[in-house]
Amino acid sequence: MADEAHSGGGLEFHPLDQFEVKALFGDGPIHWYTLTNVTAWMALAVICIVLLLVVGTRKRAVVPGRTQSVAEMAYGFVYTMVEDVTGKDAVKYFPYIFTLFIFILFSNFLGLLPMSFTTTSHIAVTAVLALGVFLFITILGFVKNGPAFLKLFWVSSAPLALRPVLAIIEIVSYFVRPVSHSIRLAGNVMAGHAVLKVFAGFAQVGFLIAPFAILGVVAIYGLEVLVAFIQAYVFTILTCVYLKDALHPSH
């Protein structure tokens, strides 16, 4: 999991090499249609989701098996989140929110496998997800509320003199949402994997350092398993919060 190079008597780590996008076939330039390690692992995440939610639940039973239990637990977890945060009128949008959660979750967990590639560590992937949420929420807000959606930016509970200033702040904050939404996910995933690779590199330094480095790898790996779930949860619950703003824009 770590690369090391001895040059001039020193040990060099390259923790960001694991995030390099490479073509699956050949070494030529990468175009928008080139099959890369990113597309391969995204496709693998989709396959795993289909195996869990479609193939794993074909033989549905009153007393569920392990695969059906996992699928039902994930379904119920996100459904409860949508209903609690956004309200019952948002349940119709549950399929979209559940798709986001389960895709990010599987992408994060697959990225923890040895020799794997973490697609959610790339801002290009998370930005598309966040931009999709932003456009969906904005369009839905105007479709559902018309011009009344603009009430989202007008803080009626504030003193009249402060409302124009707060409106500007709210507008800037609204358009920054896709940026923070995407960077939060990609940054946390990338940072954790980079630290893992550094500790894995130290594990090869020497007999005295290796045990401590291995313990560090185990501890950080356990933390990354937790982070993989938390980041999927955070991305999803923020989507629910934004959806609530679209359905109920009045402050």
Side-chain angles (χ1 to χ4, degrees), residues 119-156:
T119 55
T120 46
S121 66
H122 274 259
I123 193 67
V125 175
T126 59
V128 170
L129 297 175
L131 189 59
V133 171
F134 177 78
L135 293 175
F136 167 69
I137 297 301
T138 304
I139 294 171
L140 178 65
F142 280 107
V143 169
K144 285 287 185 180
N145 304 283
F149 179 62
L150 297 176
K151 291 181 180 179
L152 179 65
F153 310 112
W154 188 254
V155 187
S156 56

Side-chain angles (χ1 to χ4, degrees), residues 87-235:
K88 292 185 178 181
D89 54 340
V91 171
K92 65 178 72 175
Y93 308 108
F94 164 78
Y96 174 60
I97 297 174
F98 181 70
T99 301
L100 285 174
F101 173 79
I102 204 72
F103 175 77
I104 295 172
L105 184 68
F106 269 84
S107 297
N108 289 350
F109 279 135
L110 286 174
L112 292 172
L113 296 176
M115 307 304 293
S116 65
F117 186 87
T118 313
T119 55
T120 46
S121 66
H122 274 259
I123 193 67
V125 175
T126 59
V128 170
L129 297 175
L131 189 59
V133 171
F134 177 78
L135 293 175
F136 167 69
I137 297 301
T138 304
I139 294 171
L140 178 65
F142 280 107
V143 169
K144 285 287 185 180
N145 304 283
F149 179 62
L150 297 176
K151 291 181 180 179
L152 179 65
F153 310 112
W154 188 254
V155 187
S156 56
S157 59
L160 184 60
L162 293 178
R163 291 178 192 178
V165 178
L166 292 176
I168 295 174
I169 295 174
E170 289 287 341
I171 291 172
V172 172
S173 175
Y174 186 83
F175 282 97
V176 170
R177 280 180 177 181
V179 178
S180 61
H181 208 185
S182 58
I183 291 178
R184 181 184 293 105
L185 174 58
N188 280 283
V189 172
M190 176 182 288
H193 282 66
V195 173
L196 265 177
K197 189 169 184 179
V198 170
F199 271 87
F202 276 116
Q204 304 175 34
V205 171
F207 178 75
L208 294 178
I209 300 179
F212 298 100
I214 292 173
L215 286 176
V217 169
V218 173
I220 295 173
Y221 190 90
L223 180 62
E224 282 302 295
V225 172
L226 183 62
V227 168
F229 172 79
I230 290 176
Q231 288 305 313
Y233 171 77
V234 169
F235 193 97

